[in-house]
Structure formats: structure tokens, C-alpha cells
């Protein structure tokens, strides 16, 4: 909302207060000043100058040499304009002035050999207009030495204030002035209204009937007859222009002026266009069509409130007037509407029609029904001032249940209890009184505070405490110097994923964060996505049912910038619809997932190593390393898929302690291709919810081995279809508990081994934690294993 | 006998001074220190000596023996190191082998930093669902139905009663419903706003909210806690200010600004967090007596904070996950 400082000065004297203080105090009090246009700033260091003398420049024909006086000193100034004359009052910029048009600082320079001690400005140079042909000649009656902004009456500052939705009362100049009055402890002066009314009463010219009194508790009509519609006087136009409004005609301008003065939206009807000279407030008909002032046809329904005459609708209540009853140049008689509409009704209608007018903005935040009469009278007074005419006596006032002032008790001790700081009682009282509250002291500790009806945001003691604190200034409430820590149990629900992240990054993974919203097509091919009721765009209409699409988009984007070797992970929520209708939390799932993806090269060729692509065994290794670190001692098992899965060409399920927690494998090419990816992608998806439920074993120290380990190597020639795991299982099954580790250290295939044969070489590790093993013990175990493998897998021991 | 030892020593010194390579050194070692070498012969001779002379001669012989073996070792080490540096050339300018440690997303890193500070101040960490009920996200937090306050947070609705949480405050509601005060916790997490994606706004971002409810919580303590945070996070000399503001769930409500001074540019006040005393209506909604208990709450955006800290001016790059971006942090 734009507020003019000069306009504010009509209600509170701020002339001796620096602009920055006003800005700061308003901002601290919750009326954040977001922007300031300080007109005076453009005229800093500029004054009204008097050209005492004009001579020709000794060295240049087109230049003249002037002596300019600022009433105090005289300056030699070189001027290039043809229209400069002795005796003129001009805009004089002294040395050091920042010239607005060029942004350059004026310096003392020699022009063609003569020193110039300032500049006589043109309109353009000071940002007043486009004229730069000659200098700006000022009114001769101005006194030299007067600051230029004063002389030009360009001393206003326009503040852009962000008014929070609770502060309906601050949506006007008087509203802002009231806060300033409390902030600077200065009186607020309301404009005086003296009406010169005729003997004939408003009732005689018009009638008001409220059918929907729930949504329209008060409606005031005030009649002004025989007005002359014309352009507004300068002062009124300037006021409106200063806050960015376009003047229209005197009557409409007055209604806008009063709204920005007191916050009450007004509407002026051409009384002669109101059939039956009557106003009826009722609901719209279903599918009613209505053309608003902005010439748009709107379709309404029964939940919208309308202002009508005896025959037709003339306005959408609180939102916008109609074309059919607007004030035109031929309007003679006027009905001023000053009403109070139910905020939520106006809000619904404005939302439904996607209209936000200055009026609806105020009504939906809540206006004061008790200011409507004042506003109507103020408008009548100003209309008479600017458009002549006769004001009919009194108002037509339909107000069935007048709003009375609420009050609440304030305990002074409670202020300190909440703020942790004691504000002096007389400061408290001063603040509240300046804000329009009435205080009835009950005793030293207790007061009854009467709340003004324009403060619909205040009901309770805590609201009053906020008023006191914000005007007193939060910055004057000292912060505590120490904080006590309570001894109750501390919880960190994010600690598990935090650990997971640390382990994964230490394995070389980079974390990504992708959008949780996807387009419908993508989302649907990865699960049962939940749709947004009001998406921002079709590209973000559904919640992700899986982390995969986000990962694939990321990989795809990286490939396009030639980043081909990727080792990424994301941890995030995925959402799937369970039942058709979402009516409770049971109708959908929200799970936290982990997705690892590796693609491209594990190793780019270097001087010490050759190119190597990431493969399934890398993925297996990463998953195992990470999970073993987090769940030491727990049984981790990979079970190869028996059949192909949608998101895996091949791979395996991962079980920890018998619970399936995720799957790993190669993404099918078809899916990768949909994201323009042609290189292999290996992924691991896990449900973090399940991982969190696994309770890790409590770590205990194991005695270090005191006896030597013994190693035996063996290699078998086997059918190539025999799985390594099968060999390992047989070795394990045929060994005693002296065998502790089996390492596959070589795989080899060659014609010399026979067709469809391979050689697998293992290293077996034996030890006994209670003694040194004898040669015989190891040999026995070792040969048992070899025989078992030979027998069960039709294997041949190599080298024999 | 002593003379013999003395002459052997002289001979040895003479011999060893002529040694130039490991081969001649080895020959010399055999000559003097082998089983039948000069030293061994002297030891044999010592056995024949009269008892009374043995100690004196023995000592001299020992000295000689030690002297010879020290000299041998010395030379051997010298030759060995010589031969090594000759055998192998080490190119110290070869590039290093490549090892990579990954990194958490910059948003996670910033979140961690914030979390660490508040954990140090005695806060627990709680999480909650992103798809929330309208009740937990708005109603319980004192947002009246059909009130313009709802416009402050553009909302993605799933149904009339379910939505993507617009702040992590619903976790406060869940926490206060489940547990009784004293409660001191922060709630980090993802939140959603139905806004067009631009350099300045994204449809989702991360937030950290904090809550403290106890019998003696005050606005002065809220300020103290946040100032302690700001000093740790932004630096001990951070300049800050508190402004009145409006949030339906706090009363009084405030915003905290810090002075931001980019290098070579104009400084300005920047809003970094919203805060206030928990509105009594919110406490009533979760069954906590607002006469007995007082609470404070605060919340801040992580993206905004990270962008400030690392001078990132387009929020979208955070969610692009370009490797060239990820590897910078």
C-alpha cells in the first residue's frame, strides 16, 4: 500500500521528524516500509538562485557568465542556455550536487578558462520533465536560498508499506497516522466534518432494503443532489496521483480519497439510474450475468452478494460496481454507499471471480461498521466542496445489530511474564490510548481495556500485549544473556539418514535433491501418483511415486553437459495413492526412500589404471559397505531375482536379518532411453522406514586374534553356469568351524580348460582363536572341502 | 698381544680406507670378521693368554672388534643407499591417483549446520509428513478458514482437506499433541508453496522451525536464543534487528533481520527468520493450558540462507543437480 507523507501530515505533525526515523519506527512496529520514493532526495544541495548579472563569456560566444546569489553568497556560473537572463529566479545546483539526470557529481571546473562554481539547471537535468532546451525559470516571487524541493513543492515521500493481513485498520492514511501517533507520542487529528445539509431528508430520495443482513450488517446511503461532474481540483488530483491512482472525476475521486483516508470503501451510484430509487442487498441468482465497471461480464451464483435496485443488479457487493449505474459526466444526483460487508463473503466472491479491487481487499480483511457514517458524511462534504450540489439531510442507515466495543482485562504482571521484561505502566497506558484503546484501571495490577471497533484483530489479553510490545519496540526488550538447558530426553529423528549420508558420501556419492512434483505421464509410469488439485502447471501436477524419475532426469541433464560418470544418491519422500479417494492418512502412503545410482565409468584411464565401467559388482560393493558400516554384525543377504522386474533388467533383493529392505540391479534400457540415456544405469532403491526399524547390534569389543592364520589356495575347473555362491556354500558346508573366510581371487576361462568351462580360484582362511593350528588339522579340513566340491559340482581341482 | 691388536687395527684402517665398492667391502669382511678371520684368530689367541692379562687384552680386543663391525656397517649402509638411488628413479611430478569423497547437497549441509547449533542449545529434532491434513497445517495453527492469512502461503491442495504442508509447523502440532511440556525441539523438512518457478522462488524449499514450551518461556529468551544462533551462524559481529510481524500461530509475532554486506555492494537488512510467542489458541488446540505454559516458535528458510551464504542468485540451480555444481561443495 502506498502512503504519502504529506497526506499523513494532515492528521499528525511529522514535520520535525527525519524520514528515516519514520521508516524505521513503522517497520519495527510491523508496518514494513518496503520502498520509499523520497522526492526531496533528487533536490539535495539545490536551491532557488537569483541571477544578479549576466555577461558574455570572454572565450565562447554561446556561453554566458552569470553571477548567481543564494541570498547569502554569490557564485560565478558559466551557463550554456540561451534563455538565461539577469533578474531570473532559477534552479541552482551547488558544487557537490549529484545531478539526477546524469548521476554525476557536480565539480568545480574551468569552462573555456573561466571557473564555474555551480550549475543553472534545466527541467530535464533535475528530473522534472523532458525540456533541456533552456534553463528552468522559476516563479519570480520565490525567495533565493530556499531549498528547491520546497520551492517546487516536491517534498513528499511515498512509502510502500506491506500491511500484514491482520491489520485491516492500517489500510488507510489515518490508520497509519494512528500507529505513528503512538510511535512518536504525538496527537492524531481527525478531519473536521461540518455539513451544510438541506431540509429535505435522504429518505425522501432513496430507500435501502437489506435481505441478506447476515452478510451485510450495515448499509448507509447518503444522497447528494445537483452535483456538477467535472475534473477534480489540483489538490485532490495530486493526492490520488501521489499514491499512484488515476483521477477520474470529482465524485469518483472523492470516494477514492475517503477510502485511502479512513479505509472505508465507498461507492457512488447515479441515483437516477437506480430503478425505484431503491437499493436492495440480496444474493445473486444462479448463473446471473453482470457487467462490472471494467466492462467484463461476470457469471454469479447464489453465494455472491449483490447490490440491486428495484429491478436489476447494480454492483457486486464489496467487490466492484456495475457499468449500468456508474457516475458519468451527465450524472446529477448521487447516492453514496458506505457499507459493512461480511469479510468472508466478500473474500469468497472475490476469489471465485478472481478479482481483487481496493474495496474487496479492505472488506475481506474486515472494515469497521462504525466508521461508515463518518465516511459517508466526509464524502458528502468533499463532494459538495468539489462538485457543488445539495446534501440531503441525514443518512439512510440500515444497521440492525450495531457492533459494540469489546473489552478485555489486562494483567500488568502478564506483560512481564510473556515478554520477560517490565514496561513501565505509564508507557503501557500511553501506547494503548494513542492507539485508540480506553483504559479503565481496576486496581494496580488489573485494567479493563476497551477495544476500538476498527481493531478487529484484537480480542484477548495477548493481543493487547503484542500491541504494547510492538509499539514499545521489540528492539528495546533486552535478550536474555543465558539459556538454561532442560534435562528431559533429547531426540534426533534425523540422525539415521544423517549417518547414511555420511557413509555414502565417504564412498564417493554426491547427494541430489529433485523436485517432488512431476508431470502426469512421467509420474504414472513409476507408480500410483497423487494428483494436485490446483497444480501450478501440467509439468508439476503429480507427486512423485518414486525417486527414480527425478534421478533419471538428473542423469539425463548431466549427460547433456558431458558429465558422464555419476555416482549419485537421493533421500526423500515418495507418495502413492492406495485408495481411490483420499479421505484419511490411510488412503495414501508416504515413504522415505533412498535411491543410489551409478553410471558411466568407475575409472577413467589414468597412468596407473585402465578405463573401467561401473558394473553390478560396484553397486553390490557400495551397498554392502554402507550397510555393514551402519548395521555391523547383522546378516546381509543378496537374493538374485528369479524373474525380470519393471525397474530392473536383472539384479537382487537385499535382506537384512530376513527383512527385505530394497532391491539393486540394472535399469532396463527401455526406461533409460525414455530419458535419452543410452549408457547403463545401476540403481539401488531402499525403504528407509524399514531400515530405521532394524535395531543395530550393540557393539562389543572382540579379543584380537593371538594365533596365526593359515591360508590354503585351490582352483577348480567347473561348468561355466555354476554360480560362485554354490561353490562357496559347499566349501562352507564341508568345513569345520576353523574355516573363517573364503575369498574368490581369480576367474579364468580358456579353450584349454575345455568348452563351456571356467576356473574359479579360492583362498581359504583358517584359524582357531584358542590355539595355533597344526598342519594336519588344516589339511584335513581343506581336503574335505575340495572333495566335496569335486563330487557335488563335478569339478576338477586344477594343478593335479 | 696388545701390539698385535694395535697392528691389526692399523692394517684394518689402511685396508678399509681403500674400499670403494660392496665387493671389496665383502672381501674385507671375510678377511677380518669371518669365522676364520683376523678377529676370530685374535680371540683364539686370547684364550691362550695368562689369566691375569686376559682382562686388559680382552678389553682391547673387544674395542677392536666393535670398531671393525661399526666401520663395516657404516660402509654397507652407505653403499646400499647409493645403490638404491641408482637403481630406481622416482618421478615425483607424476599426478596423484584419483580418490573422491562425495558430498551432501548444499541444502543438507546448511541444514546440518543449523541443526548442530540448535542441538547444542538443547533442542531435539523431530520430523513429520509432507502430505498433511488441512487441520494440522492451518486450522490447529489458528488460521481461520477463509481468512486472508491463508493467502500468505500459496498452497498445493490434494483434496479439500489434504495438502502439501506449507511449513513444518504441523510437526509442532503433532509433537505437542503427543508429548507434554517441557518441549524444546526443531523441525527441519521440506515444505511446498504453489508458486511459479523463477530465479527467486521454487515450488518447494526446506525449513527449520523451532518450538519451546515450558512454564517460564519469554520473548526475551526467544530473542536470546535467536541471537545466539545468528552469532554462530552468521558470525559473532552480526548486526540484527527484530520487527513486529504477523503469523496466525504466534502472538506477539516478529521477524529477525540481519545486516547483509556483500563485498563492493550496498548493504541491506535481510529478513532471515520469523518468530513469536505461541498463540494461546494453538496451545488450546493441542490441550496445553496457556495460562500455565508459555511457548515460543521460530522458522527459517534453508535455501534462502544457503543462497546468501554461498552467493547463489538463482534458486533453480539448487535443484538442477548438475555435477559441476554438486562437486563445488
Amino acid at each position: 500500500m502506498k502512503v504519502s507523507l504529506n497526506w499523513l501530515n494532515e492528521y499528525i505533525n511529522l514535520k520535525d521528524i527525519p524520514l528515516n526515523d519514520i521508516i524505521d519506527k513503522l517497520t519495527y512496529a510491523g508496518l514494513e516500509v518496503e520502498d520509499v520514493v523520497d522526492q526531496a532526495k533528487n533536490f539535495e544541495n539545490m536551491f532557488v538562485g537569483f541571477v544578479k548579472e549576466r555577461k558574455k563569456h570572454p572565450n565562447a560566444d554561446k556561453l554566458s557568465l552569470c553571477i548567481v546569489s543564494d541570498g547569502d553568497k554569490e557564485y560565478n556560473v558559466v551557463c550554456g542556455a540561451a534563455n538565461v537572463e539577469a533578474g531570473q529566479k532559477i534552479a541552482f545546483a551547488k558544487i557537490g550536487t549529484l545531478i539526477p539526470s546524469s548521476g554525476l557529481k557536480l565539480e568545480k571546473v574551468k569552462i573555456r578558462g573561466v571557473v564555474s562554481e555551480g550549475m543553472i539547471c534545466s527541467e530535464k537535468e533535475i528530473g522534472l520533465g523532458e525540456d533541456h532546451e533552456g534553463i528552468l525559470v522559476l516563479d519570480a516571487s520565490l525567495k533565493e536560498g530556499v531549498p528547491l524541493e520546497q520551492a517546487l513543492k516536491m517534498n513528499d515521500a511515498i512509502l510502500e508499506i506491506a500491511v500484514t493481513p491482520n491489520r485491516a485498520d492500517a489500510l488507510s492514511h489515518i490508520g497509519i497516522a494512528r500507529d505513528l501517533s503512538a510511535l512518536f507520542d504525538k496527537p492524531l487529528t481527525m478531519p473536521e466534518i461540518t455539513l451544510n445539509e438541506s431540509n429535505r431528508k435522504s429518505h425522501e430520495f432513496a430507500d435501502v432494503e437489506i435481505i441478506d443482513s447476515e452478510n451485510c450488517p450495515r448499509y448507509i446511503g447518503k444522497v447528494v443532489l445537483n452535483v456538477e461532474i467535472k475534473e477534480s481540483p489540483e489538490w485532490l488530483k495530486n493526492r490520488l496521483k501521489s499514491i499512484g491512482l488515476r483521477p477520474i472525476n470529482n465524485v469518483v475521486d472523492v470516494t477514492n480519497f475517503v477510502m485511502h483516508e479512513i479505509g472505508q470503501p465507498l461507492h457512488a451510484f447515479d441515483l437516477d439510474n437506480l430503478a425505484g430509487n431503491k437499493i436492495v442487498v440480496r444474493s445473486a441468482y444462479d448463473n446471473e450475468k453482470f457487467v462490472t465497471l471494467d466492462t467484463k461480464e461476470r457469471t454469479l451464483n447464489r453465494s455472491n452478494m449483490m447490490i440491486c435496485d428495484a429491478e436489476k443488479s447494480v454492483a457486486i457487493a464489496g467487490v466492484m460496481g456495475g457499468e449500468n449505474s456508474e457516475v458519468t459526466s451527465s450524472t446529477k444526483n448521487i447516492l453514496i454507499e458506505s457499507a459493512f460487508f461480511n469479510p468472508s463473503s466478500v473474500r469468497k466472491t472475490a476469489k471465485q471471480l478472481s478479482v481483487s479491487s481496493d474495496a474487496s481487499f479492505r472488506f475481506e480483511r474486515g472494515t469497521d461498521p462504525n466508521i461508515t457514517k463518518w465516511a459517508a458524511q466526509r464524502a458528502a462534504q468533499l463532494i459538495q466542496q468539489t462538485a457543488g450540489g445539495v446534501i440531503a439531510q441525514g443518512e439512510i442507515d440500515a444497521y440492525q445489530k450495531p457492533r459494540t466495543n469489546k473489552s478485555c482485562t489486562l494483567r500488568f504482571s502478564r506483560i512481564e511474564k510473556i515478554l520477560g521484561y517490565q514496561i513501565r505502566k505509564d508507557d503501557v497506558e500511553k501506547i494503548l490510548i494513542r492507539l485508540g484503546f480506553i483504559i479503565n484501571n481496576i486496581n494496580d495490577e488489573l485494567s479493563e481495556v476497551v477495544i476500538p471497533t476498527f481493531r478487529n484483530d484484537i480480542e484477548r489479553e495477548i493481543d493487547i500485549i503484542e500491541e504494547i510490545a510492538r509499539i514499545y519496540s521489540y528492539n528495546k526488550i533486552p535478550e536474555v544473556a543465558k539459556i538454561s538447558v532442560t534435562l528431559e530426553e533429547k531426540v534426533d529423528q534425523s540422525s539415521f539418514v544423517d549417518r547414511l549420508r555420511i557413509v555414502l558420501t565417504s564412498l564417493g556419492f554426491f547427494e541430489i535433491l529433485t523436485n517432488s512434483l512431476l508431470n502426469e505421464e512421467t509420474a504414472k509410469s513409476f507408480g500410483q501418483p497423487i494428483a494436485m488439485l490446483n497444480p501450478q502447471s501440467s509439468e508439476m501436477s503429480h507427486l512423485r511415486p518414486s525417486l527414480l524419475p527425478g534421478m533419471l532426469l538428473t542423469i539425463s541433464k548431466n549427460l547433456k553437459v558431458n558429465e558422464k560418470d555419476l555416482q549419485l544418491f537421493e533421500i526423500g519422500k515418495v507418495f502413492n495413492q492406495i485408495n481411490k479417494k483420499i479421505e484419511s492418512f490411510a488412503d495414501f502412503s508416504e515413504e522415505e526412500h533412498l535411491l543410489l545410482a551409478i553410471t558411466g565409468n568407475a575409472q577413467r584411464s589414468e597412468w596407473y589404471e585402465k578405463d573401467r565401467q561401473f558394473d553390478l559388482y560396484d553397486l553390490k560393493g557400495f551397498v554392502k559397505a554402507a550397510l555393514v558400516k551402519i548395521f555391523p554384525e547383522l546378516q546381509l543377504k543378496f537374493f538374485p531375482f528369479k524373474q525380470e522386474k519393471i525397474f530392473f533388467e536383472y539384479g537382487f533383493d537385499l535382506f537384512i536379518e530376513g527383512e527385505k529392505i530394497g532391491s539393486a540391479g540394472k535399469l532396463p534400457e527401455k526406461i533409460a532411453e525414455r530419458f535419452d540415456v543410452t549408457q547403463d544405469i545401476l540403481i539401488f532403491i531402499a525403504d528407509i522406514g524399514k531400515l530405521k526399524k532394524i535395531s543395530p547390534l550393540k557393539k562389543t569389543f572382540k579379543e584380537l586374534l593371538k594365533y596365526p592364520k593359515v591360508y590354503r589356495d585351490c582352483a577348480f575347473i567347473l561348468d561355466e553356469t555354476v554360480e560362485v555362491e554354490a561353490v562357496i556354500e559347499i566349501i562352507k558346508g564341508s568345513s569345520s568351524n576353523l574355516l573363517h573366510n573364503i575369498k574368490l581371487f581369480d576367474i579364468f576361462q580358456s579353450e584349454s580348460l575345455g568348452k563351456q568351462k571356467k576356473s574359479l580360484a579360492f583362498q581359504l582362511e583358517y584359524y582357531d582363536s584358542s590355539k595355533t593350528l597344526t598342519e594336519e588339522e588344516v589339511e584335513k579340513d581343506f581336503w574335505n572341502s575340495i572333495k566335496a566340491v569335486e563330487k557335488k559340482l563335478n569339478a576338477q581341482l586344477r594343478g593335479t | 698381544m696388545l701390539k698385535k691388536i694395535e697392528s691389526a687395527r692399523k692394517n684394518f684402517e689402511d685396508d678399509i680406507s681403500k674400499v670403494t665398492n660392496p665387493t671389496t667391502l665383502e672381501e674385507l669382511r671375510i678377511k677380518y670378521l669371518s669365522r676364520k678371520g683376523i678377529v676370530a684368530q685374535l680371540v683364539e689367541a686370547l684364550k691362550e693368554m695368562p689369566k691375569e692379562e686376559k682382562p686388559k687384552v680382552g678389553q682391547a680386543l673387544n674395542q677392536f672388534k666393535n670398531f671393525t663391525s661399526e666401520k663395516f656397517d657404516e660402509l654397507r649402509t652407505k653403499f646400499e643407499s647409493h645403490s638404491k638411488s641408482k637403481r630406481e628413479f622416482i618421478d615425483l611430478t607424476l599426478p596423484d591417483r584419483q580418490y573422491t569423497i562425495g558430498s551432501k547437497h548444499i541444502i543438507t549441509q546448511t541444514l546440518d549446520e543449523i541443526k548442530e547449533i540448535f542441538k547444542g542449545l538443547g533442542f531435539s529434532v523431530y520430523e513429520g509428513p509432507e502430505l498433511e491434513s488441512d487441520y494440522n497445517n492451518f486450522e490447529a495453527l489458528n488460521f481461520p478458514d477463509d481468512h486472508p492469512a491463508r493467502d500468505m502461503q500459496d498452497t498445493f491442495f490434494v483434496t479439500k482437506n489434504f495438502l502439501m504442508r506449507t511449513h513444518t509447523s504441523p510437526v509442532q502440532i503433532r509433537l505437542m499433541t503427543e508429548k507434554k511440556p517441557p518441549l524444546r525441539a526443531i523441525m527441519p523438512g521440506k515444505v511446498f508453496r504453489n508458486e511459479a518457478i523463477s530465479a527467486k522462488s521454487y515450488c518447494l524449499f526446506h525449513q527449520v522451525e523451532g518450538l519451546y514450551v515450558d512454564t517460564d518461556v519469554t520473548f526475551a529468551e526467544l530473542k536470546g536464543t535467536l541471537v545466539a544462533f545468528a552469532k554462530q551462524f552468521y558470525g559473532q559481529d552480526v548486526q540484527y534487528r527484530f520487527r513486529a510481524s504477523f503469523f496466525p500461530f504466534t502472538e506477539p509475532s516478529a521477524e529477525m533481520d540481519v545486516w547483509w554486506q556483500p563485498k563492493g555492494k550496498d548493504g541491506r537488512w535481510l529478513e532471515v527468520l520469523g518468530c513469536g510467542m505461541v498463540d494461546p489458541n494453538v496451545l488450546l488446540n493441542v490441550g496445553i493450558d496457556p495460562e500455565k505454559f508459555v511457548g515460543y516458535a521460530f522458522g527459517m528458510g534453508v535455501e534462502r540462507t544457503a543462497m546468501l551464504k554461498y552467493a547463489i542468485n538463482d534458486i533453480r540451480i539448487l535443484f538442477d543437480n548438475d555435477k559441476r555444481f554438486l562437486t563445488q561443495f
Side-chain angles (χ1 to χ4, degrees), chain B residues 134-146:
Chain B
D134 185 86
Y135 179 82
N136 284 340
N137 193 77
F138 285 132
E139 226 179 298
L141 287 158
N142 202 32
F143 280 80
D145 202 8
D146 260 318

Side-chain angles (χ1 to χ4, degrees), chain A residues 28 348 417-418 460 463 474-475 477 479 484 491-493 505 511 533-534 536 558 565 590 608, chain B residues 98 102 105 108 119 124-125 127 130 146 155 157 184 194 215 219 223 240 242 244 251 253 279 323:
Chain A
Y28 294 160
K348 273 183 198 154
K417 166 96 180 149
I418 299 289
R460 307 160 299 171
D463 302 326
Y474 291 171
N475 294 306
I477 300 171
E479 54 256 18
S484 59
V491 176
D492 184 354
Q493 293 187 330
T505 52
E511 185 183 19
L533 210 56
N534 56 338
Q536 183 68 230
N558 272 292
D565 308 327
E590 176 175 339
Y608 53 85
Chain B
Q98 302 290 302
H105 194 276
T108 311
K119 280 172 82 169
S124 285
V125 183
E127 294 179 331
E130 292 170 11
D146 260 318
T155 311
F157 283 95
R184 177 157 26 190
N194 197 343
T215 50
F219 187 76
K223 277 186 69 178
Y240 57 88
F242 286 84
E251 186 94 352
S253 302
D279 194 292
K323 189 177 174 184

Side-chain angles (χ1 to χ4, degrees), chain A residues 415-421 465-466 469-470 473-480, chain B residues 216-226 242-244 251-255 275-277 294-297:
Chain A
I415 305 174
E416 194 184 349
K417 166 96 180 149
I418 299 289
L419 301 180
Y421 179 68
I465 293 173
E466 178 178 59
R470 76 175 178 90
S473 178
Y474 291 171
N475 294 306
K476 276 160 59 186
I477 300 171
E479 54 256 18
V480 294
Chain B
D216 54 355
V217 177
T218 66
F219 187 76
E221 183 170 353
L222 167 64
K223 277 186 69 178
T225 307
L226 295 177
F242 286 84
R243 293 182 279 112
E251 186 94 352
S253 302
E255 277 172 306
C275 60
M277 307 305 289
V294 183
Y296 70 62

Side-chain angles (χ1 to χ4, degrees), chain A residues 166-172 175-176 178-179 366 454-457:
Chain A
N166 57 326
R167 291 298 305 279
D169 69 291
L171 292 170
S172 67
I176 299 292
R178 190 180 291 112
D179 264 31
F454 52 78
R455 290 306 297 267
N456 64 355
D457 58 324

Side-chain angles (χ1 to χ4, degrees), chain A residues 2 103 223 226 278 292 622 669 698 712 746:
Chain A
K2 283 193 168 69
V223 175
N226 283 321
K278 193 177 174 181
T292 42
F622 285 134
E669 274 162 26
K698 203 174 166 229
R712 287 285 183 275
D746 191 34

